[in-house]
Amino acid sequence: MSTEDCSYSETRNNRMKKSIEKITYCFVIIAALFVSFVSFVEPLVMKDINITKVILVLLCYAAVFTGSLTLFRRLSERTLYYLTIAGIFAAVIVQTYIVFHMRLVPKVDLNHIYDYCVDMVETGKISFGESKYFAYNTNNIPLAIVIYYVFRMAAFTGMDYRIAAGLFNVLLILVMYVSAFLILKKVTTIRTTAVYMALLLTNPSFYAYASYYYTDTISAGLVMAAVCFIIYGCYKKKNHWKMMHFLAAGFLIGFATCLRVTSIFIVLAVGVWILLNKYWKKLLTLGIPLVCGLLIFQLAWGGVYRYHVDMDTYDSAITIEHFLMMGSHGNGTYNVKDMRFTRSFPTHEEKVENNKKVYLEHLRENGVLGNLKLAIKKEAIVWGIGTHGYTQYTKNVVEKTTCYDWLVGKKSGLFRTYMQAYNIVLYVLILSGVCCTFRKKKTDKYSWILAIYWCGALVFYIFWEAHPRQSVSILPLLTMLAV
């Protein structure tokens, strides 16, 4: 091939890459516009909070945030650094206070996990094999194993189980905050980092779910730590240090994905970005140690899993097709009848076959417009509801304290109003951040990866079961698009 042919081919590839990048940003801009609009009209549709109050809180937050931006421009970098660190610890102190003053009596899935883990610790059992719940909901066994060890430590120290689990959750939220701070500090300025951290630390979702020790917040901490290892590994000059960082990242991603499957999205986004840019060397230097880290986790976890799970769950376990089936009719949310339908079949093959059959029937019955309408409705539920459904999981407590009243109880109107107002601000800022990136001639690799990441999540929830809580674990990385 001649030099001219190589030059033409390279130019064509660059144009194609740039076009794909612009298409990705266009998709994200449309999504951010849509979510901003849905977040604004949600109070009018649901009528659970007053739209006038939402607007007032929104304007107050916008004024304070704008004032903070002005202040951050004037403060020295050293002052901003310590101010951000102080903000992280202040947030964790508030969340710790919530844990102690809102001891949850969990419902739904966490209820089964709590009761069984307490029974295991107090009776000395080590197996989940006797539980019909775990025989079916095998996806929650990894979390149950983690909580079991948290409870064992609590029993050893004499701490209340509910408080111990809540503190464990806050610890992972702290890991998320610190990792986010370290990532931004490495790839951008301390001023930009301070702005992002101000936005993240004022996100009410992580206070609403502070005492709810489920996969969302726990996996978010692990994912952010993994991304932090990847970023710092890329900056290491010596190969053995790169490998160590990528191995650690792979191990953490493996752990996070084990708890919540959507944790793998960021790795897939990085992989897509590498393939689009044809960075074959990066694919090898990053991909191989990352996969090795995943395999190391799987080997280690396999031993722990077999130690606690001595039952054959192949036929009893819930299927992937079940979640697709639930997400294909009605509002695309959890459905008790669907759960009973899947349980009614004794073998894995029968579950899969009948789930697929009903899923395809739903798609045909919906038609093109019906499926499009359902997809829009599901995306609105996942991203547009600012309260993220937290009251469903935190309304039952040991004792109704003042803290409970303000967060969940009779005085919680202001907090829920703030959550919805924050959601509007967040997606408007994401919209403005992506628009700024879109106008740049030079590619911003981090923004493009994050755009791919959100696109993947958006596509996933077109098909999967929808719930407003589903977006909580994605928010820390998604917020970076506002930068």
Side-chain angles (χ1 to χ4, degrees):
M1 187 181 289
S2 66
T3 306
E4 287 184 4
D5 289 338
C6 287
S7 178
Y8 172 74
S9 178
E10 187 178 343
T11 303
R12 186 179 61 182
N13 287 336
N14 286 335
R15 285 176 180 171
M16 187 179 294
K17 183 181 71 174
K18 200 69 181 175
S19 297
I20 294 171
E21 181 186 1
K22 293 296 184 184
I23 290 168
T24 307
Y25 284 136
C26 285
F27 192 70
V28 168
I29 287 168
I30 292 167
L33 271 169
F34 169 73
V35 178
S36 299
F37 173 75
V38 168
S39 299
F40 188 80
V41 300
E42 193 268 350
L44 296 172
V45 176
M46 301 301 293
K47 301 185 187 303
D48 53 342
I49 48 179
N50 187 286
I51 184 62
T52 305
K53 291 180 180 178
V54 170
I55 294 169
L56 287 172
V57 173
L58 188 155
L59 292 173
C60 288
Y61 184 92
V64 172
F65 191 75
T66 304
S68 300
L69 292 178
T70 305
L71 179 63
F72 289 170
R73 290 192 186 99
R74 295 176 181 177
L75 294 175
S76 67
E77 291 191 357
R78 185 181 180 84
T79 302
L80 284 173
Y81 177 86
Y82 287 113
L83 195 62
T84 305
I85 296 295
I88 292 172
F89 281 102
V92 171
I93 289 168
V94 173
Q95 288 157 358
T96 303
Y97 176 86
I98 293 169
V99 167
F100 276 92
H101 291 83
M102 267 183 59
R103 288 182 294 155
L104 290 188
V105 179
K107 294 296 178 184
V108 199
D109 294 305
L110 194 55
N111 176 43
H112 298 281
I113 294 170
Y114 176 87
D115 289 343
Y116 203 83
C117 287
V118 168
D119 181 61
M120 285 174 67
V121 171
E122 294 185 349
T123 60
K125 288 191 298 187
I126 60 167
S127 173
F128 289 90
E130 297 175 14
S131 171
K132 290 182 180 179
Y133 171 81
F134 290 113
Y136 182 66
N137 296 280
T138 53
N139 55 310
N140 273 330
I141 291 177
L143 175 65
I145 292 172
V146 171
I147 298 302
Y148 164 72
Y149 282 103
V150 171
F151 284 2
R152 278 191 62 176
M153 291 180 66
F156 180 76
T157 58
M159 186 181 290
D160 181 274
Y161 294 127
R162 302 181 198 279
I163 290 175
L167 290 177
F168 174 70
N169 190 46
V170 171
L171 175 64
L172 269 297
I173 293 174
L174 173 60
V175 170
M176 178 196 74
Y177 286 149
V178 172
S179 299
F181 173 68
L182 293 174
I183 290 166
L184 268 295
K185 189 169 72 72
K186 191 70 175 177
V187 302
T188 187
T189 65
I190 192 66
R191 295 187 191 282
T192 304
T193 302
V195 173
Y196 166 80
M197 290 305 299
L199 191 59
L200 185 65
L201 292 171
T202 53
N203 188 329
S205 304
F206 302 112
Y207 301 89
Y209 279 106
S211 55
Y212 188 74
Y213 43 97
Y214 202 58
T215 56
D216 314 87
T217 44
I218 294 172
S219 65
L222 296 171
V223 169
M224 291 301 284
V227 173
C228 188
F229 272 109
I230 291 173
I231 294 293
Y232 278 77
C234 289
Y235 281 88
K236 295 295 178 183
K237 292 182 179 180
K238 294 184 178 179
N239 288 331
H240 68 278
W241 281 115
K242 280 182 181 287
M243 186 171 290
M244 292 296 289
H245 278 72
F246 296 155
L247 278 170
F251 188 91
L252 289 169
I253 286 291
F255 193 5
T257 305
C258 180
L259 295 171
R260 191 171 190 82
V261 71
T262 53
S263 301
I264 199 68
F265 285 178
I266 187 60
V267 175
L268 296 177
V270 172
V272 169
W273 176 79
I274 288 172
L275 291 172
L276 287 173
N277 286 279
K278 297 183 179 180
Y279 292 151
W280 310 122
K281 188 177 178 181
K282 281 186 189 292
L283 188 63
L284 294 174
T285 56
L286 172 61
I288 291 174
L290 202 67
V291 170
C292 287
L294 279 162
L295 292 174
I296 291 169
F297 171 79
Q298 287 300 326
L299 288 170
W301 183 254
V304 175
Y305 191 90
R306 286 189 296 272
Y307 177 70
H308 289 290
V309 183
D310 56 1
M311 59 179 167
D312 183 2
T313 59
Y314 179 75
D315 286 323
S316 63
I318 197 169
T319 64
I320 292 172
E321 292 78 9
H322 166 82
F323 293 103
L324 295 173
M325 180 183 71
M326 277 206 299
S328 63
H329 68 110
N331 290 329
T333 53
Y334 177 83
N335 189 292
V336 176
K337 289 183 180 178
D338 285 346
M339 189 65 73
R340 289 171 182 164
F341 175 78
T342 303
R343 276 182 180 270
S344 68
F345 300 101
T347 67
H348 173 77
E349 286 75 18
E350 286 177 286
K351 284 182 172 69
V352 170
E353 182 184 350
N354 285 282
N355 285 161
K356 275 185 180 178
K357 182 181 176 182
V358 175
Y359 172 61
L360 293 173
E361 283 177 4
H362 287 159
L363 294 183
R364 283 193 293 269
E365 288 170 4
N366 294 340
V368 176
L369 289 177
N371 285 313
L372 181 61
K373 183 181 177 181
L374 178 59
I376 292 170
K377 189 184 293 184
K378 286 166 68 178
E379 297 292 359
I381 291 169
V382 173
W383 312 101
I385 299 176
T387 55
H388 300 288
Y390 82 101
T391 54
Q392 176 187 356
Y393 304 100
T394 57
K395 63 184 177 182
N396 297 294
V397 290
V398 173
E399 181 186 1
K400 292 184 178 180
T401 62
T402 303
C403 177
Y404 174 86
D405 286 339
W406 282 99
L407 288 183
V408 188
K410 56 189 177 183
K411 297 179 182 178
S412 63
L414 179 60
F415 183 69
R416 288 183 285 110
T417 300
Y418 172 58
M419 291 189 81
Q420 194 63 40
Y422 178 89
N423 210 57
I424 299 169
V425 171
L426 175 63
Y427 286 99
V428 168
L429 288 173
I430 287 172
L431 175 63
S432 62
V434 176
C435 285
C436 288
T437 308
F438 182 81
R439 289 197 297 267
K440 289 180 181 177
K441 292 183 179 180
K442 189 178 179 182
T443 296
D444 183 333
K445 61 182 177 181
Y446 298 115
S447 292
W448 192 8
I449 290 169
L450 291 170
I452 295 168
Y453 171 69
W454 195 24
C455 284
L458 287 163
V459 171
F460 179 78
Y461 285 112
I462 287 174
F463 303 98
W464 206 250
E465 172 203 359
H467 192 284
R469 201 195 72 233
Q470 308 282 33
S471 58
V472 172
S473 60
I474 295 170
L475 288 177
L477 283 170
L478 188 59
T479 305
M480 289 185 180
L481 277 171
V483 172

